[in-house]
Amino acid sequence: MSIGISDEHLELAASLRKWAADLKGRELARAAEGDVGERFGRVWQAVRDMDVHAIAAPESAGGGGGTVLDQAVALEACAHELVPGGLLGAAIGSTLTGRPGRYGVQVRPGGAVWDGGTADEVLGPDGSFFVGEVRPEAGLDLGARHGRVVEPRAVEADERVRRTAITLAAAEAAGVARWCLSTAVEYAKVREQFGQRIGAFQAVKHLCAEMLETAEAVTAAAWDAASAADARDEDQWEFAAAVAHATCFDGAVEVAKACIQVLGGIGFTFEHDAHLYLRRALALRALVGDGDAAAERLTAAAVDGVRRRVHLDLEGRDGPIRDDVRATVERIAQLPEEQRRAAYVETGYLTPHWPAPYGLGADAVTQIVIDQELARSGLSRPDLVIAAWALPTILEHGTDAQRERFVKPSLLGDLVWCQLFSEPGAGSDLASLRTRASRVDGGWRLSGQKVWNSVAERADWGICLARTDPDAPKHRGISYFLVDMRNSPGIDVRPLREITGKALFNEVFLDDVFVPDEMVVGDVDDGWRLARTTLANERVAMAGSRLSTSTERAVELATAGVTPAQQVAVGHSIASSTVCSLLGVRATLRSLAGRGPGPESSVAKLLGVRNRQDGAELVVSLHGDDVLLDASDEVRRDVWEMLNTRCLSIAGGTTQILRNVAGERILGLPRQPRTVHR
């Protein structure tokens, strides 16, 4: 997905990509190799005719009168087609001065002048115009002519110059990453080796999925920096720009390198365009400077209490419902805590996206307003745990009797659920499960072994997949059962001690357990489809301002003083955690715009797992050798969290399986042909 989310931004990006492609920037860049003279005059004339560089400049000065986000959308689209000749410098200068022009910009005192080799005017790091000679040089980026100040002068850097430059350069980095991702994926779909398309090989598929993760992170951070610039809150813009600095430029370089890796030998040739994008990504990173400095700034800001707070503009659509929602939430808040859960259920506020009478069938706007008002009142909903997986299936596929018996009591917390899906020989590959269900009078007898079952030791009911037709193909012949965990003879629940030393999971042995026909959900042999149920009216969540648990803990430890290297590490964790929240915000905005879910939710899980695991490990490293001793309760808790988070890349589908899914369902890469043994 591109930086733009609204219809207007999507249309702007599409039209500019088409316009930019006609400029044939990649051909011009090759033709200008090593030549420091003006080779991009035709491109600049086209840019000026379209005012692409001056979208954020006021109309009164001859600009487009748009926002910084509008300008970022345009830059991303043009970078996708590698428009040469100084567009980025012109956009930065026009945005800073409010006057359209062909600018070079020196962001760091003594550093290179961005696009100074093609500029009419040069802005210095202090925001003033530079008077003196700027010598153009042909460097790494064949599509740009940066410059060197012949007689540099000492000036103080202006933070607004730096932030504007990083914000708009991040948009270019997003465009580079997008082109590299799409180019690699399209090649992997058609290139054949060893008798099949290379995109079917898991190694290539995972590499492309990792490119998707990084490209989405780059895009989200670039979008947020531009959005924060428009909000005119300097602290928030500084924070968002630092996240973009720490995320976008290293990310674009990594995606560009991975693109060449997927392309193989053809990607290493000068004739292929891939190296031009790698050159642009490397040049952008060199221009903005080391991302570690941004990470240090993030740590300092977070220690001072700054967090990214993204405002969702509901465009007045909340007006008709806001007062009623606020009044309902205030009534709930006035109740004793032990009565609030029942009030959540009765009002539908516990699961507002579910259909009535268990929810409100709420649209995205209503869900967001409810979340906002709950947060304003300091309220949080109780966690449904496994019931959040079981009840949607019962709602959609169960009988009226099943819904009546199970849904409301579970919402009230009177019934606790566990999930009996995974097996020792069928973890992520649930279709290979071996637990069998044999038909008997009035129902079924279930026999088999389940594993990794949380809360099974105290569950009232379990949702269970079992094979009802052993002769059917593996994804068929499976049925979905509701198992009475307390009253059914033949169930043996055994605690399973994990690497933390505690037993949060269980093994469950089913020995001829009877399940009556009325406890089969949906049709017999249709359980695989049911297991993948999601309600048509998807949950829309409002992202909070808090970082992930481990990252917040790392910030807390940083307040007591850490080494410079540790401060950098904490800052990168802050950037990663913030990006995960931004992906959720973008998914919510997409829902508000009436579009289906994009890749953000899948990417958010993959990046979120990595952030939580890396963050927990970082926290332990901040304790140093205290973890080797009979440590305090505080240190023991942090060590337990680090060990416990190792399960996150396994539970709910391993990271590797999820990357297969992302590669095939989001990127459209081919499945690996199955080998049939005869």
Side-chain angles (χ1 to χ4, degrees):
M1 306 301 296
S2 65
I3 286 177
I5 295 174
S6 69
D7 289 339
E8 292 80 4
H9 281 158
L10 293 176
E11 291 171 7
L12 173 64
S15 63
L16 281 178
R17 274 197 300 271
K18 183 177 179 181
W19 168 82
D22 291 338
L23 296 178
K24 302 188 184 304
R26 296 183 285 272
E27 295 178 16
L28 290 172
R30 282 196 185 84
E33 181 190 6
D35 184 357
V36 297
E38 173 59 275
R39 297 295 299 268
F40 306 121
R42 180 175 64 82
V43 173
W44 172 249
Q45 184 61 49
V47 167
R48 190 170 59 181
D49 290 345
M50 291 283 288
D51 283 333
V52 179
H53 63 302
I55 290 175
E59 289 183 354
S60 58
T67 65
V68 176
L69 182 56
D70 296 335
Q71 184 67 74
V73 169
L75 287 172
E76 180 198 38
C78 292
H80 190 280
E81 300 302 326
L82 215 71
V83 171
L87 173 57
L88 178 58
I92 294 169
S94 299
T95 301
L96 281 168
T97 65
R99 177 168 60 84
R102 195 178 193 185
Y103 296 99
V105 182
Q106 187 183 46
V107 178
R108 291 178 291 154
V113 179
W114 297 24
D115 295 316
T118 52
D120 297 325
E121 297 180 274
V122 174
L123 282 172
D126 60 349
S128 66
F129 286 104
F130 174 75
V131 179
E133 183 183 353
V134 176
R135 184 171 62 240
E137 298 187 9
L140 175 65
D141 186 348
L142 303 186
R145 290 296 176 267
H146 304 302
R148 183 190 304 274
V149 176
V150 175
E151 296 181 2
R153 58 193 175 100
V155 296
E156 292 292 328
D158 184 333
E159 292 301 302
R160 187 166 174 266
V161 173
R162 178 182 59 81
R163 282 199 295 265
T164 302
I166 289 170
T167 297
L168 296 183
E172 281 221 352
V176 169
R178 286 285 152 199
W179 183 91
C180 293
L181 172 62
S182 62
T183 298
V185 168
E186 291 309 310
Y187 185 80
K189 289 178 181 179
V190 298
R191 175 70 166 129
E192 292 191 1
Q193 286 281 294
F194 306 107
Q196 59 183 295
R197 291 169 291 171
I198 64 171
F201 296 124
Q202 182 164 280
V204 175
K205 191 171 296 177
H206 283 197
L207 184 54
C208 290
E210 289 168 3
M211 292 173 69
L212 171 67
E213 294 168 40
T214 305
E216 284 297 321
V218 169
T219 302
W223 164 81
D224 188 51
S227 300
D230 288 322
R232 302 184 185 280
D233 182 323
E234 295 297 317
D235 287 342
Q236 286 290 294
W237 185 18
E238 172 61 32
F239 194 92
V243 170
H245 191 171
T247 303
C248 296
F249 306 102
D250 286 337
V253 170
E254 290 305 311
V255 176
K257 291 191 297 187
C259 176
I260 292 175
Q261 185 69 24
V262 173
L263 293 169
I266 189 66
F268 190 67
T269 64
F270 193 85
E271 287 74 17
H272 199 283
D273 295 334
H275 74 98
L276 298 174
Y277 286 85
L278 175 60
R279 289 168 180 271
R280 175 64 60 87
L282 289 166
L284 288 169
R285 185 169 69 177
L287 286 167
V288 300
D290 188 2
D292 287 352
E296 286 189 85
R297 292 196 298 274
L298 280 173
T299 300
V303 166
D304 287 342
V306 180
R307 302 292 185 275
R308 183 71 182 102
R309 301 184 306 275
V310 179
H311 172 69
L312 291 178
D313 184 4
L314 299 178
E315 299 175 338
R317 288 182 286 172
D318 57 325
I321 61 173
R322 175 75 66 179
D323 290 344
D324 287 344
V325 170
R326 178 168 295 178
T328 300
V329 169
E330 288 175 349
R331 286 198 300 271
I332 295 173
Q334 292 169 4
L335 294 172
E337 188 170 350
E338 65 274 11
Q339 297 179 20
R340 288 177 186 166
R341 181 163 187 154
Y344 284 130
V345 175
E346 293 302 322
T347 58
Y349 280 25
L350 181 56
T351 51
H353 58 301
W354 288 7
Y358 310 107
L360 301 173
D363 61 14
V365 172
T366 302
Q367 292 181 55
I368 292 298
V369 171
I370 292 173
D371 278 3
Q372 288 175 338
E373 292 304 317
L374 289 173
R376 190 184 66 84
S377 295
L379 298 179
S380 58
R381 300 182 180 93
D383 188 357
L384 292 175
V385 198
I386 304 299
W389 298 357
L391 299 185
T393 304
I394 295 172
L395 279 173
E396 188 165 336
H397 302 286
T399 63
D400 289 341
Q402 290 170 345
R403 285 188 281 270
E404 180 69 24
R405 180 172 180 177
F406 293 115
V407 178
K408 188 172 181 178
S410 300
L411 293 177
L412 291 170
D414 297 333
L415 294 179
V416 175
W417 290 82
C418 68
Q419 185 187 62
L420 306 174
F421 282 11
S422 294
E423 298 183 3
S428 296
D429 185 15
L430 281 179
S432 295
L433 61 85
R434 296 181 180 179
T435 295
R436 67 183 185 277
S438 304
R439 167 66 81 178
V440 296
D441 286 345
W444 301 81
R445 293 282 180 183
L446 276 58
S447 295
Q449 180 185 356
K450 299 292 184 177
V451 74
W452 314 123
N453 314 115
S454 57
V455 304
E457 77 283 357
R458 57 186 175 88
D460 301 293
W461 287 84
I463 51 176
C464 180
L465 292 180
R467 192 165 294 283
T468 43
D469 185 352
D471 298 323
K474 60 183 296 186
H475 287 84
R476 301 177 186 175
I478 295 172
S479 297
Y480 195 107
F481 296 92
L482 307 180
V483 178
D484 188 338
M485 298 293 292
R486 293 195 178 275
N487 302 306
S488 299
I491 296 178
D492 182 13
V493 178
R494 303 178 189 176
L496 188 63
R497 198 174 182 212
E498 299 94 43
I499 65 173
T500 62
K502 296 184 179 181
L504 297 180
F505 295 104
N506 302 274
E507 293 178 286
V508 177
F509 295 85
L510 305 169
D511 184 11
D512 217 23
V513 175
F514 177 72
V515 178
D517 281 329
E518 57 266 26
M519 292 298 107
V520 176
V521 181
D523 295 332
V524 172
D525 296 337
D526 196 28
W528 179 255
R529 182 174 67 89
L530 270 63
R532 300 171 64 189
T533 290
T534 56
L535 288 177
N537 198 6
E538 294 289 346
R539 173 80 172 100
V540 175
M542 182 188 73
S545 60
R546 280 184 61 83
L547 304 166
S548 65
T549 300
S550 292
T551 302
E552 288 285 3
R553 177 67 175 136
V555 172
E556 180 184 343
L557 293 174
T559 61
V562 292
T563 68
Q566 289 172 331
Q567 190 172 28
V568 168
V570 172
H572 282 297
S573 184
I574 293 167
S576 173
S577 183
T578 302
V579 166
C580 291
S581 295
L582 294 175
L583 291 169
V585 173
R586 283 171 59 82
T588 297
L589 289 172
R590 202 179 308 284
S591 296
L592 290 170
R595 283 188 290 277
E600 294 95 347
S601 56
S602 297
V603 170
K605 175 170 173 38
L606 289 164
L607 291 180
V609 164
R610 190 192 312 169
N611 173 248
R612 287 187 60 187
Q613 289 180 334
D614 291 350
E617 192 171 343
L618 170 63
V619 167
V620 170
S621 75
L622 294 177
H623 285 300
D625 59 7
D626 282 353
V627 301
L628 306 177
L629 307 173
D630 186 13
S632 65
D633 289 343
E634 186 178 77
V635 174
R636 281 194 289 270
R637 282 195 300 270
D638 291 339
V639 170
W640 183 90
E641 177 70 10
M642 182 270 291
L643 292 171
N644 188 55
T645 56
R646 299 318 309 167
C647 77
L648 298 178
S649 51
I650 302 170
T654 68
T655 293
Q656 289 68 35
I657 294 298
L658 290 177
R659 284 187 175 138
N660 281 347
V661 172
E664 292 167 6
R665 297 184 185 172
I666 297 176
L667 299 177
L669 293 170
R671 293 176 178 269
Q672 188 166 11
R674 298 186 181 277
T675 302
V676 179
H677 299 283
R678 299 184 183 277

